[in-house]
Amino acid sequence: MLQTQNSLIDSPDLLVTSISSCRTRPVSIAILVLVWLVLHIGCLFSPGLLDDVDSVYIEVAREMLQRHDYVTPYIDGIRFFDKPPLMYWMAAASMHIFGAYDWAARLPLALCVLGLFFAVYALGKRLFGERGGFYSALAMATSLGPYLFTRFYIPDILNALWMTLGAHLFLIALDRLNQSGKNSGIKSRSALVPSLGFAGVMALNLLTKGLIGIVFPIGFVLFYLVLTRQLRLLTRLHLVTGTLFFAIIALPWHILAALRNPPIALPSGLGLPAKGGWFWFYIVNEHFMRFVGKRIPHDYGQVPIPLFWLLFFLWLMPWTAFLPAAILRITAVLRDRIAATSQQRENALTLALWSLMVLVFFTLSSRQEYYSLPALPALALMAGGVLGLAEAGDQRIQRYILRGTTWFLLPLATITAIVCGYWGIVAPTPPHGTDLSSLLTTNPDAYTLSLGHLRDLTGHAMGFFRAPLLGTALSMLGVGLITWLLRRRDHTFAANITLAISMMGTLLCVHSGLARFYPILGSKGLALTINRQFHPGDRILLDGEFTTGSTIIFYTRQSVSLVNGRVNGPWFGSFWPDAPAIFETDDSLRRAWTGQQRLFLMTSNPQRASDLSHFGTVNIIAAEGGKTILSNRR
């Protein structure tokens, strides 16, 4: 048992050897795999794809398969240069094996999430011993943010995986260099393999998230070496060999994409250059102009800086409760206020530098709620590290963790349980056949943010979510009260496992709520209705921009025309001479409505049916989630 006469920041740090053996425990791996199976594989098959980026990226992957073109991304037959290709390639490979199903497209992301858990576990073992690594991975597996932002197909959680692997590989390479310097007469392991691994992971990061994929890893390495006064070691990290390995992986796609999509003449008066192709849009516009908030078109929201920082810590809930103790310890180590080894100071610097670098970068640039995810493993490692120390017997840390549970986690979980329980009990039961959309408000200005639709909820709509609300209320009792009681009795392991199990229940309720909210966020049901009535020669149209119903094209496997939809995603690609004629106006829609060809129009405009009735018969085929399928023929 550790001595307890000193305060938290004065007690010796117990990292690596003093906590536990660093050997992998099969039980820890089994628990992490079980959590993953329940939360990610168990929730893989529902709900359907969401409109907007989820179905857009997956449809790009499906069209890659269809076209056998893995260089130039297309959607609805139009070039789509917004993102790098790795996420498309992953989904396409999975659909090639299992078929063009939504769950098959999602499977690679789920597998990468498991890889992230293992990566955090491995790095946590290095920094804090086996138990600290296990708690770090458990925090990553059961916290709010990583689960929310793997419900749709975006690259940011994969970016977190590459960042975790890159940081670990760099530390391994640095250790080997330092060992060789201290043991000049003894054969030591070469830094070549981890250096090449770092270069390879950075290349994959570039193919996942663009230039951010190299900015963060290189920035981390340079700042770390400067702050630890080891910049002289940079030249010994096999820069030439690593750069060649990086180039072999990363450059072919970039070169081919530029060659196959050279600059073309662009229309004037739109803020575009006289000529532009893949390079201008993807490199200049999508990276540098987005950084300063001047991307064309400006089709994304901007989270205020205070909210962005607040959400960064919120995404680790409920494990955020243990961050104050971790931050105090890291601060004390870095300021030399406690007796710490050089290894312990470097461990503290790793987590502080990693998290701050990502936050500061996006504080200075354009930002969405989930842009901080690449730094979230650092927070999980902080929380897992102090939990490991507490379980090892540090009574001062146990007290600080108990205080975090008592003054933060317990009241927050209790309030959440009361609010969810209240609405779960008193919310009116919707009449049979009621559409959820009829009970929501509308906040169009919020929809450029990924969670903007949450602002639409009203008290009358809560009846649709009775079961997940009551389930969340029960789970919060475990997150707060039961965990608190266990910590008061010094049952640290039981408290941590209870917290994880309770959060699994909460996240399953989140998934259930998402499934109930799905008609607002996706259009799979409407697409399947069209499929049952569609015949060769029929035509499908979307009223508005592509993201208002982008699931339609994936589930119908048909090209879709856009009415007043030459904006945002397909806008730049529409300037290519070979772009299909899929753009319609109000006038051309009205003319087509009177023709012989059968049309299916998906619209969320309540005035559209009345407008078209002046030009021909309007049949309502289906309605769901505030969207309606109209047709000019039965």
Side-chain angles (χ1 to χ4, degrees):
M1 186 68 66
L2 297 175
Q3 294 180 353
T4 60
Q5 68 270 25
N6 296 323
S7 67
L8 171 68
I9 62 173
D10 293 329
S11 61
D13 208 351
L14 296 179
L15 300 180
V16 188
T17 58
S18 60
I19 294 181
S20 62
S21 169
C22 287
R23 290 183 301 174
T24 299
R25 292 182 179 178
V27 172
S28 298
I29 297 297
I31 292 173
L32 294 175
V33 171
L34 178 61
V35 172
W36 174 75
L37 287 172
V38 172
L39 293 180
H40 292 273
I41 297 302
C43 300
L44 187 66
F45 302 93
S46 68
L49 299 181
L50 308 183
D51 291 324
D52 210 343
V53 293
D54 185 35
S55 53
V56 166
Y57 295 168
I58 289 175
E59 174 58 22
V60 169
R62 189 188 71 83
E63 293 192 30
M64 277 188 168
L65 276 177
Q66 188 178 47
R67 289 174 168 268
H68 304 289
D69 182 351
Y70 299 94
V71 173
T72 302
Y74 286 85
I75 188 161
D76 207 13
I78 291 180
R79 287 170 172 81
F80 185 78
F81 297 145
D82 288 40
K83 300 300 176 187
L86 186 58
M87 294 284 285
Y88 306 147
W89 292 344
M90 290 164 48
S94 183
M95 288 189 287
H96 177 72
I97 296 170
F98 299 108
Y101 305 109
D102 46 21
W103 65 265
R106 290 168 167 162
L107 181 60
L109 185 60
L111 293 172
C112 289
V113 169
L114 180 62
L116 176 60
F117 298 164
F118 289 161
V120 171
Y121 174 67
L123 182 53
K125 280 199 308 169
R126 172 192 177 82
L127 301 180
F128 304 113
E130 197 281 336
R131 200 54 121 189
F134 169 65
Y135 288 143
S136 300
L138 196 63
M140 198 71 195
T142 59
S143 55
L144 183 62
Y147 187 77
L148 277 179
F149 295 112
T150 51
R151 300 309 88 206
F152 47 100
Y153 200 73
I154 58 174
D156 297 82
I157 205 70
L158 194 56
N159 192 208
L161 169 61
W162 304 138
M163 191 65 195
T164 305
L165 291 174
H168 197 172
L169 288 164
F170 165 69
L171 293 176
I172 292 172
L174 203 59
D175 272 358
R176 293 185 179 182
L177 291 178
N178 285 323
Q179 288 168 8
S180 66
K182 294 176 182 177
N183 304 292
S184 56
I186 301 175
K187 184 178 180 180
S188 58
R189 301 179 69 185
S190 170
L192 176 61
V193 172
S195 296
L196 290 179
F198 178 87
V201 165
M202 189 167 62
L204 294 175
N205 212 344
L206 178 66
L207 292 170
T208 299
K209 191 66 176 176
L211 294 180
I212 285 295
I214 60 175
V215 169
F216 287 159
I218 291 177
F220 174 77
V221 168
L222 292 178
F223 281 123
Y224 186 95
L225 291 176
V226 168
L227 292 173
T228 57
R229 300 179 181 179
Q230 300 180 88
L231 192 59
R232 68 189 184 282
L233 297 179
L234 183 63
T235 57
R236 297 176 57 194
L237 289 171
H238 301 277
L239 297 183
V240 174
T241 308
T243 301
L244 289 175
F245 189 57
F246 170 86
I248 289 171
I249 298 173
L251 288 188
W253 175 77
H254 290 81
I255 294 171
L256 288 173
L259 291 175
R260 293 188 184 182
N261 301 277
I264 62 169
L266 297 174
S268 60
L270 300 176
L272 297 171
K275 286 188 175 183
W278 171 87
F279 182 85
W280 178 85
F281 189 89
Y282 178 74
I283 300 295
V284 178
N285 189 49
E286 186 64 28
H287 287 87
F288 296 101
M289 293 181 69
R290 179 186 281 271
F291 178 82
V292 297
K294 295 182 179 180
R295 176 187 182 270
I296 304 172
H298 193 82
D299 59 347
Y300 51 92
Q302 182 86 320
V303 177
I305 292 174
L307 179 60
F308 179 73
W309 279 70
L310 176 64
L311 289 174
F312 175 51
F313 294 97
L314 175 65
W315 298 147
L316 195 69
M317 285 293 296
W319 306 89
T320 310
F322 314 122
L323 288 179
I327 293 172
L328 279 174
R329 177 169 291 277
I330 287 174
T331 302
V333 169
L334 294 178
R335 291 182 177 180
D336 292 324
R337 293 172 60 190
I338 64 175
T341 67
S342 60
Q343 183 65 53
Q344 292 162 2
R345 284 191 290 271
E346 290 172 2
N347 292 345
L349 177 62
T350 295
L351 301 182
L353 178 59
W354 179 353
S355 54
L356 287 174
M357 184 182 62
V358 175
L359 282 177
V360 170
F361 180 89
F362 285 118
T363 298
L364 300 175
S365 71
S366 301
R367 69 201 75 84
Q368 285 269 338
E369 308 100 300
Y370 49 83
Y371 279 10
S372 61
L373 286 183
L376 206 59
L379 290 193
L381 287 161
M382 292 180 193
V386 292
L387 288 172
L389 288 170
E391 186 173 313
D394 190 324
Q395 294 181 1
R396 289 295 180 180
I397 294 182
Q398 289 175 359
R399 290 195 183 101
Y400 271 78
I401 287 176
L402 179 59
R403 290 176 188 176
T405 303
T406 303
W407 300 109
F408 177 74
L409 200 55
L410 177 61
L412 183 62
T414 302
I415 293 171
T416 303
I418 291 172
V419 171
C420 291
Y422 170 80
W423 284 112
I425 293 172
V426 307
T429 301
H432 180 71
T434 301
D435 193 301
L436 174 61
S437 63
S438 66
L439 304 179
L440 301 177
T441 61
T442 56
N443 297 279
D445 292 340
Y447 300 155
T448 53
L449 302 177
S450 59
L451 302 179
H453 279 281
L454 293 179
R455 292 175 56 182
D456 295 348
L457 289 171
T458 65
H460 290 289
M462 292 300 181
F464 277 92
F465 303 94
R466 190 180 311 280
L469 284 169
L470 293 175
T472 300
L474 291 174
S475 296
M476 284 296 108
L477 294 177
V479 169
L481 179 61
I482 298 175
T483 300
W484 175 72
L485 291 173
L486 289 170
R487 292 201 190 282
R488 289 193 63 190
R489 290 165 173 76
D490 294 330
H491 299 315
T492 304
F493 177 77
N496 294 335
I497 294 299
T498 298
L499 181 59
I501 293 173
S502 300
M503 273 307 296
M504 288 176 65
T506 301
L507 296 177
L508 289 174
C509 291
V510 169
H511 179 80
S512 177
L514 177 63
R516 286 165 166 77
F517 206 82
Y518 178 75
I520 310 297
L521 302 176
S523 308
K524 181 177 180 179
L526 296 176
L528 297 181
T529 299
I530 292 175
N531 284 346
R532 288 190 288 269
Q533 301 188 30
F534 189 88
H535 295 96
D538 293 346
R539 190 177 173 203
I540 303 172
L541 303 94
L542 287 180
D543 196 1
E545 66 176 290
F546 188 74
T547 53
T548 61
S550 48
T551 50
I552 291 288
I553 190 170
F554 179 83
Y555 289 112
T556 63
R557 308 288 195 263
Q558 302 295 327
S559 177
V560 173
S561 296
L562 305 178
V563 181
N564 302 322
R566 195 176 183 179
V567 294
N568 298 333
W571 174 73
F572 187 72
S574 70
F575 297 126
W576 257 255
D578 61 353
I582 63 169
F583 300 104
E584 302 289 348
T585 64
D586 289 333
D587 290 338
S588 64
L589 171 64
R590 292 162 184 162
R591 289 193 297 270
W593 203 260
T594 63
Q596 296 300 312
Q597 186 179 34
R598 189 183 190 190
L599 307 180
F600 292 93
L601 172 68
M602 194 184 91
T603 182
S604 55
N605 181 357
Q607 303 302 319
R608 183 59 79 182
S610 175
D611 173 67
L612 291 175
S613 65
H614 296 94
F615 301 92
T617 303
V618 177
N619 302 293
I620 298 179
I621 304 300
E624 186 179 55
K627 295 163 285 191
T628 306
I629 301 295
L630 306 177
S631 181
N632 60 341
R633 298 283 185 273
R634 287 195 177 276

